[in-house]
Amino acid sequence: MGEPGASEDLELLEEQVRALRELAGDRPDGARIYDFGVRWGTFLAGRLERLEHYHRSGGLSVDERERYAGLRSRLSEVLPLIEELGLARPRVVPPDD
């Protein structure tokens, strides 16, 4: 069993990556990008950093480690969208293990 809240963090971050893809496909205006960017930055600074800490300290379950590796891969895939929209770049990609 992993750290409390890790599965929820993974779910929320996976949802944010899906939302980022949708946003980029919609040709959003500046206000929508700004609103998304605020949430995006909060998730990266809080939940993603916490997951990275759990990952490095061995606090994730086997399933959570697999999901986290998949999340980091997806984050790496969306880096061009992140750059295009001018959003904060995650510090934990590309996968390093």
Side-chain angles (χ1 to χ4, degrees):
M1 184 164 184
E3 293 286 340
S7 288
E8 291 83 4
D9 288 348
L10 284 160
E11 181 64 34
L12 287 168
L13 286 161
E14 289 163 348
E15 288 174 14
Q16 288 299 300
V17 171
R18 285 189 295 274
L20 170 63
R21 289 179 192 268
E22 289 175 20
L23 178 70
D26 287 345
R27 302 234 184 243
D29 61 31
R32 282 186 61 209
I33 294 171
Y34 176 81
D35 288 344
F36 182 84
V38 170
R39 289 188 313 275
W40 178 256
T42 300
F43 281 113
L44 293 183
R47 295 179 185 270
L48 186 60
E49 291 294 326
R50 179 168 59 182
L51 282 171
E52 179 65 10
H53 169 74
Y54 291 161
H55 169 71
R56 293 196 181 276
S57 67
L60 298 178
S61 69
V62 172
D63 178 60
E64 290 167 345
R65 283 194 305 268
E66 290 173 8
R67 287 178 63 196
Y68 185 59
L71 173 67
R72 292 191 310 174
S73 292
R74 284 186 294 285
L75 285 169
S76 184
E77 292 169 4
V78 297
L79 285 175
L81 299 177
I82 290 168
E83 306 262 335
E84 179 183 320
L85 296 173
L87 300 173
R89 183 182 169 101
R91 296 189 297 179
V92 299
V93 294
D96 59 2
D97 49 19

